[in-house]
mmCIF file of all heavy atoms in Angstrom:
data_model
loop_
_atom_site.group_PDB
_atom_site.id
_atom_site.type_symbol
_atom_site.label_atom_id
_atom_site.label_comp_id
_atom_site.label_asym_id
_atom_site.label_seq_id
_atom_site.Cartn_x
_atom_site.Cartn_y
_atom_site.Cartn_z
ATOM 1 N N LEU A 79 -52.196 -25.472 -80.251
ATOM 2 C CA LEU A 79 -52.113 -24.822 -81.556
ATOM 3 C C LEU A 79 -52.931 -23.544 -81.557
ATOM 4 O O LEU A 79 -53.839 -23.376 -80.750
ATOM 5 C CB LEU A 79 -52.665 -25.746 -82.648
ATOM 6 C CG LEU A 79 -51.991 -27.098 -82.821
ATOM 7 C CD1 LEU A 79 -52.805 -27.971 -83.750
ATOM 8 C CD2 LEU A 79 -50.588 -26.922 -83.349
ATOM 9 N N SER A 80 -52.618 -22.665 -82.508
ATOM 10 C CA SER A 80 -53.451 -21.481 -82.692
ATOM 11 C C SER A 80 -54.694 -21.893 -83.472
ATOM 12 O O SER A 80 -54.735 -22.942 -84.103
ATOM 13 C CB SER A 80 -52.692 -20.399 -83.452
ATOM 14 O OG SER A 80 -52.487 -20.797 -84.780
ATOM 15 N N ARG A 81 -55.703 -21.042 -83.442
ATOM 16 C CA ARG A 81 -56.971 -21.349 -84.125
ATOM 17 C C ARG A 81 -56.757 -21.551 -85.621
ATOM 18 O O ARG A 81 -57.387 -22.417 -86.249
ATOM 19 C CB ARG A 81 -57.978 -20.234 -83.878
ATOM 20 C CG ARG A 81 -57.520 -18.896 -84.389
ATOM 21 C CD ARG A 81 -58.459 -17.762 -84.013
ATOM 22 N NE ARG A 81 -57.915 -16.482 -84.407
ATOM 23 C CZ ARG A 81 -57.965 -15.988 -85.628
ATOM 24 N NH1 ARG A 81 -58.551 -16.666 -86.589
ATOM 25 N NH2 ARG A 81 -57.443 -14.816 -85.902
ATOM 26 N N ILE A 82 -55.838 -20.786 -86.194
ATOM 27 C CA ILE A 82 -55.583 -20.859 -87.635
ATOM 28 C C ILE A 82 -54.896 -22.180 -87.984
ATOM 29 O O ILE A 82 -55.306 -22.896 -88.903
ATOM 30 C CB ILE A 82 -54.736 -19.653 -88.086
ATOM 31 C CG1 ILE A 82 -55.514 -18.370 -87.817
ATOM 32 C CG2 ILE A 82 -54.339 -19.778 -89.541
ATOM 33 C CD1 ILE A 82 -54.685 -17.116 -87.874
ATOM 34 N N ARG A 83 -53.858 -22.518 -87.242
ATOM 35 C CA ARG A 83 -53.121 -23.763 -87.484
ATOM 36 C C ARG A 83 -54.025 -24.976 -87.232
ATOM 37 O O ARG A 83 -53.979 -25.967 -87.953
ATOM 38 C CB ARG A 83 -51.894 -23.811 -86.577
ATOM 39 C CG ARG A 83 -51.061 -25.031 -86.703
ATOM 40 C CD ARG A 83 -50.218 -25.031 -87.919
ATOM 41 N NE ARG A 83 -49.532 -23.755 -88.007
ATOM 42 C CZ ARG A 83 -48.748 -23.398 -89.009
ATOM 43 N NH1 ARG A 83 -48.545 -24.219 -89.991
ATOM 44 N NH2 ARG A 83 -48.180 -22.241 -89.040
ATOM 45 N N PHE A 84 -54.846 -24.892 -86.181
ATOM 46 C CA PHE A 84 -55.777 -25.977 -85.871
ATOM 47 C C PHE A 84 -56.703 -26.242 -87.047
ATOM 48 O O PHE A 84 -56.916 -27.379 -87.458
ATOM 49 C CB PHE A 84 -56.593 -25.622 -84.622
ATOM 50 C CG PHE A 84 -57.689 -26.591 -84.325
ATOM 51 C CD1 PHE A 84 -57.405 -27.782 -83.683
ATOM 52 C CD2 PHE A 84 -58.993 -26.328 -84.686
ATOM 53 C CE1 PHE A 84 -58.415 -28.694 -83.406
ATOM 54 C CE2 PHE A 84 -60.006 -27.225 -84.418
ATOM 55 C CZ PHE A 84 -59.715 -28.411 -83.773
ATOM 56 N N ARG A 85 -57.262 -25.181 -87.610
ATOM 57 C CA ARG A 85 -58.196 -25.315 -88.729
ATOM 58 C C ARG A 85 -57.519 -25.930 -89.949
ATOM 59 O O ARG A 85 -58.064 -26.836 -90.593
ATOM 60 C CB ARG A 85 -58.764 -23.938 -89.077
ATOM 61 C CG ARG A 85 -59.889 -23.956 -90.055
ATOM 62 C CD ARG A 85 -60.573 -22.586 -90.075
ATOM 63 N NE ARG A 85 -61.787 -22.629 -90.866
ATOM 64 C CZ ARG A 85 -61.849 -22.362 -92.156
ATOM 65 N NH1 ARG A 85 -60.760 -22.032 -92.825
ATOM 66 N NH2 ARG A 85 -62.991 -22.427 -92.802
ATOM 67 N N GLU A 86 -56.307 -25.459 -90.244
ATOM 68 C CA GLU A 86 -55.566 -26.003 -91.389
ATOM 69 C C GLU A 86 -55.280 -27.493 -91.216
ATOM 70 O O GLU A 86 -55.494 -28.291 -92.130
ATOM 71 C CB GLU A 86 -54.237 -25.263 -91.554
ATOM 72 C CG GLU A 86 -54.361 -23.840 -92.039
ATOM 73 C CD GLU A 86 -53.036 -23.093 -91.995
ATOM 74 O OE1 GLU A 86 -52.025 -23.683 -91.522
ATOM 75 O OE2 GLU A 86 -53.003 -21.933 -92.423
ATOM 76 N N MET A 87 -54.807 -27.856 -90.031
ATOM 77 C CA MET A 87 -54.456 -29.255 -89.784
ATOM 78 C C MET A 87 -55.692 -30.152 -89.754
ATOM 79 O O MET A 87 -55.644 -31.302 -90.194
ATOM 80 C CB MET A 87 -53.660 -29.374 -88.487
ATOM 81 C CG MET A 87 -52.274 -28.764 -88.578
ATOM 82 S SD MET A 87 -51.377 -28.828 -87.035
ATOM 83 C CE MET A 87 -50.901 -30.547 -86.994
ATOM 84 N N ALA A 88 -56.799 -29.625 -89.230
ATOM 85 C CA ALA A 88 -58.036 -30.404 -89.191
ATOM 86 C C ALA A 88 -58.552 -30.658 -90.608
ATOM 87 O O ALA A 88 -58.997 -31.767 -90.928
ATOM 88 C CB ALA A 88 -59.080 -29.671 -88.358
ATOM 89 N N HIS A 89 -58.488 -29.660 -91.477
ATOM 90 C CA HIS A 89 -58.943 -29.829 -92.861
ATOM 91 C C HIS A 89 -58.082 -30.848 -93.616
ATOM 92 O O HIS A 89 -58.598 -31.570 -94.473
ATOM 93 C CB HIS A 89 -58.928 -28.494 -93.611
ATOM 94 C CG HIS A 89 -60.072 -27.608 -93.282
ATOM 95 N ND1 HIS A 89 -61.390 -27.952 -93.495
ATOM 96 C CD2 HIS A 89 -60.119 -26.380 -92.722
ATOM 97 C CE1 HIS A 89 -62.183 -26.987 -93.098
ATOM 98 N NE2 HIS A 89 -61.435 -26.005 -92.617
ATOM 99 N N ARG A 90 -56.811 -30.883 -93.308
ATOM 100 C CA ARG A 90 -55.921 -31.842 -93.965
ATOM 101 C C ARG A 90 -56.001 -33.233 -93.348
ATOM 102 O O ARG A 90 -55.360 -34.164 -93.831
ATOM 103 C CB ARG A 90 -54.477 -31.347 -93.910
ATOM 104 C CG ARG A 90 -54.193 -30.241 -94.914
ATOM 105 C CD ARG A 90 -52.770 -29.820 -94.837
ATOM 106 N NE ARG A 90 -52.672 -28.915 -93.688
ATOM 107 C CZ ARG A 90 -51.546 -28.391 -93.223
ATOM 108 N NH1 ARG A 90 -50.415 -28.679 -93.768
ATOM 109 N NH2 ARG A 90 -51.562 -27.576 -92.203
ATOM 110 N N GLY A 91 -56.732 -33.377 -92.235
ATOM 111 C CA GLY A 91 -56.880 -34.679 -91.576
ATOM 112 C C GLY A 91 -55.688 -35.059 -90.726
ATOM 113 O O GLY A 91 -55.465 -36.239 -90.458
ATOM 114 N N GLU A 92 -54.912 -34.082 -90.263
ATOM 115 C CA GLU A 92 -53.709 -34.357 -89.477
ATOM 116 C C GLU A 92 -53.993 -34.446 -87.979
ATOM 117 O O GLU A 92 -53.097 -34.773 -87.211
ATOM 118 C CB GLU A 92 -52.667 -33.270 -89.738
ATOM 119 C CG GLU A 92 -52.171 -33.270 -91.170
ATOM 120 C CD GLU A 92 -51.219 -32.142 -91.462
ATOM 121 O OE1 GLU A 92 -50.923 -31.329 -90.560
ATOM 122 O OE2 GLU A 92 -50.759 -32.051 -92.619
ATOM 123 N N LEU A 93 -55.222 -34.159 -87.573
ATOM 124 C CA LEU A 93 -55.594 -34.251 -86.167
ATOM 125 C C LEU A 93 -56.571 -35.412 -85.989
ATOM 126 O O LEU A 93 -57.727 -35.328 -86.422
ATOM 127 C CB LEU A 93 -56.232 -32.939 -85.685
ATOM 128 C CG LEU A 93 -55.354 -31.705 -85.768
ATOM 129 C CD1 LEU A 93 -56.150 -30.459 -85.406
ATOM 130 C CD2 LEU A 93 -54.158 -31.837 -84.848
ATOM 131 N N PRO A 94 -56.151 -36.508 -85.368
ATOM 132 C CA PRO A 94 -57.026 -37.666 -85.249
ATOM 133 C C PRO A 94 -58.262 -37.346 -84.406
ATOM 134 O O PRO A 94 -58.179 -36.695 -83.372
ATOM 135 C CB PRO A 94 -56.159 -38.716 -84.548
ATOM 136 C CG PRO A 94 -54.900 -38.061 -84.188
ATOM 137 C CD PRO A 94 -54.853 -36.712 -84.783
#
Side-chain angles (χ1 to χ4, degrees):
L79 301 170
S80 69
R81 61 186 174 80
I82 298 165
R83 179 76 49 183
F84 173 80
R85 189 167 188 269
E86 289 172 357
M87 291 177 76
H89 282 299
R90 283 181 280 175
E92 295 176 0
L93 299 174

